[in-house]
């Protein structure tokens, strides 16, 4: 009995640490998209064991509100990709001409066009 209490306390501590390290499920942001437009170019940069990656050029739609105009958006294995109904998509399903909303993850390079990594992308097919 003497050793049971420290064991249980240690076990609870390990469980608490593991639970705090779990990643939140990916969710589509409910904020104004950083860029809203249509895909003008897709450059696939990798498709190896670490996941597909691409750099997508987006041309802003006229009259649609977004944080930035045209953008160059990096999409990788950490990017949430969904269609307008919330169905998951793969990078292979993205085509030039698709209407797209993108939210950046972190800082962006303030160039023309703005450049950044997408945390989430919604595609209207």
């Amino acid at each position: 009995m003497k050793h049971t209490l420290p064991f249980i306390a240690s076990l609870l501590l390990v469980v608490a640490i593991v639970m705090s390290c779990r990643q939140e499920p990916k969710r589509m942001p409910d904020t104004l998209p950083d860029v809203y437009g249509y895909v003008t170019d897709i450059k696939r940069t990798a498709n190896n064991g670490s996941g597909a990656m691409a750099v997508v050029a987006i041309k802003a739609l006229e009259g649609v509100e977004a944080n930035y105009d045209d953008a160059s958006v990096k999409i990788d294995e950490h990017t949430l990709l969904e269609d307008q109904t919330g169905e998951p998509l793969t990078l292979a399903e993205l085509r030039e001409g698709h209407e797209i909303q993108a939210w950046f993850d972190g800082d962006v390079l303030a160039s023309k066009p703005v450049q950044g990594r997408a945390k989430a992308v919604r595609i209207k097919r």
Side-chain angles (χ1 to χ4, degrees):
M1 185 71 179
K2 225 179 192 183
H3 299 290
T4 306
L5 189 56
F7 174 75
I8 291 173
S10 298
L11 184 61
L12 288 174
L13 180 62
V14 168
V15 168
I17 291 171
V18 168
M19 294 298 286
S20 68
C21 293
R22 278 189 355 193
Q23 287 187 339
E24 283 279 322
K26 293 180 183 178
R27 295 194 178 153
M28 194 59 64
D30 58 359
T31 60
L32 184 69
D34 289 310
V35 62
Y36 192 149
Y38 59 92
V39 177
T40 59
D41 188 44
I42 303 170
K43 288 189 175 57
R44 305 211 188 272
T45 58
N47 196 3
N48 54 26
S50 66
M53 293 189 295
V55 177
V56 178
I58 302 172
K59 178 78 174 153
L61 285 172
E62 298 243 353
V64 177
E65 191 175 2
N67 293 325
Y68 301 101
D69 291 331
D70 306 344
S72 177
V73 178
K74 180 180 176 186
I75 298 174
D76 61 23
E77 70 274 8
H78 302 291
T79 305
L80 173 63
L81 287 165
E82 291 183 355
D83 68 10
Q84 70 272 19
T85 65
E87 290 296 315
L89 295 174
T90 64
L91 186 56
E93 296 173 274
L94 182 62
R95 301 280 183 264
E96 288 182 22
H98 276 160
E99 191 173 309
I100 186 171
Q101 295 174 314
W103 290 262
F104 289 124
D105 186 21
D107 295 331
V108 296
L109 184 58
S111 59
K112 287 285 186 179
V114 67
Q115 299 174 40
R117 190 184 81 73
K119 69 177 165 187
V121 170
R122 181 178 292 134
I123 301 164
K124 185 175 179 181
R125 300 193 271 179

